[in-house]
Amino acid sequence: MQFGLFEERPQGFASLDELVAVMMKLEDDPLFPAGTNMVIYRGNPRAKLMIIGEAPGTEEDRQGKPFVGRSGQLLDQILQSVKIDPEQDVFITNAVFRLPPGDDGKPLRKPTTDEIIYYKPYLLEIIRLVDPLVMLLTGNVATESLLEKTGITKLRGQWFPWQGRWAMPIFHPAYLLRNPSREPGSPKALMWQDIREARRKYDELLGRAQ
Ligand code: URA
């Protein structure tokens, strides 16, 4: 580990376990004072497909794992619809690792840009250690963190080369829960298109072109 008094960012961890151990003890991060839990990942650290979400919600905060609430159940169904096993084939994490508390007692306000910037080096270190080929960025926060772009409606479904890997912004499952229509051109219909394209790219990169 090369992270200490003279290093500004976490880097050079030998393993994901080592990084996770350090993150679990973080106390100087902007959401530490909120008193919410560190939520880092679920799924397979050897997976070649990574899903990056926004930040934990209340259920994730409670269980200590990302995407285990309603959005997570929908995410699992979306993955399973193209025969991607959410435990074996994917590594699931977030751009921000603690639940941002709501201003007036409501949970899950959107993370601020400062919070996204603070946690980004940890996300980068997770990506380096897990070494995925394909990354799906669910919603604007993950897209802002990794690609420094916003505008999910325009960006979704496009591939962006990113440090020798491929990243695609997709809608956030919570957005699909709020927009349940399946009409052509609806967010759900576009998600179906995007997940099939993600599956195609994943197969291609793994040399499993069909
Ligand atoms: N939404 C996210 O973006 N991440 C989670 O872990 C849960 C809900």
Side-chain angles (χ1 to χ4, degrees):
M1 197 215 339
Q2 305 288 311
F3 180 42
L5 280 181
F6 306 106
E7 292 283 340
E8 293 218 328
R9 37 169 292 190
Q11 56 188 342
F13 284 83
S15 70
L16 184 65
D17 285 350
E18 201 184 294
L19 174 62
V20 167
V22 167
M23 289 176 74
M24 293 306 287
K25 293 204 185 108
L26 270 188
E27 292 192 350
D28 62 356
D29 57 308
L31 289 170
F32 177 74
T36 50
N37 291 319
M38 255 302 153
V39 174
I40 305 179
Y41 78 90
R42 73 170 165 102
N44 181 357
R46 292 167 189 267
K48 291 293 154 201
L49 176 60
M50 182 179 285
I51 314 274
I52 304 173
E54 179 175 310
T58 40
E59 191 55 28
E60 289 75 18
D61 180 55
R62 209 176 61 74
Q63 294 192 34
K65 286 187 185 172
F67 279 111
V68 289
R70 279 187 72 216
S71 293
Q73 284 162 13
L74 179 56
L75 176 65
D76 284 1
Q77 285 168 13
I78 292 166
L79 294 169
Q80 283 159 345
S81 76
V82 289
K83 301 202 165 33
I84 294 172
D85 182 324
E87 293 304 320
Q88 285 308 311
D89 301 330
V90 212
F91 179 96
I92 301 177
T93 188
N94 279 313
V96 164
F97 300 99
R98 290 188 203 271
L99 167 74
D103 296 330
D104 47 2
K106 285 200 205 106
L108 197 57
R109 62 159 168 76
K110 268 212 173 319
T112 64
T113 296
D114 281 354
E115 287 161 358
I116 296 170
I117 291 170
Y118 178 89
Y119 291 105
K120 181 170 176 175
Y122 291 94
L123 175 62
L124 296 182
E125 195 56 4
I126 288 174
I127 295 171
R128 186 184 71 77
L129 290 163
V130 175
D131 197 20
L133 290 170
V134 174
M135 297 180 292
L136 300 179
L137 315 175
T138 67
N140 270 323
V141 169
T143 305
E144 179 180 344
S145 177
L146 214 66
L147 302 180
E148 293 169 15
K149 294 177 197 294
T150 52
I152 190 67
T153 313
K154 288 225 173 77
L155 297 170
R156 58 136 282 278
Q158 296 180 46
W159 287 113
F160 292 85
W162 188 91
Q163 299 190 7
R165 316 175 198 283
W166 289 96
M168 183 201 270
I170 58 173
F171 285 131
H172 194 287
Y175 181 65
L176 303 182
L177 289 171
R178 295 194 299 272
N179 293 276
S181 160
R182 291 170 184 272
E183 293 295 298
S186 64
K188 268 202 168 160
L190 295 172
M191 173 64 105
W192 171 235
Q193 205 173 294
D194 295 347
I195 197 67
R196 279 191 303 171
E197 168 56 19
R199 172 82 221 202
R200 189 202 61 74
K201 185 83 160 180
Y202 170 81
D203 285 338
E204 177 188 290
L205 294 172
L206 283 177
R208 288 198 214 139
Q210 290 166 357

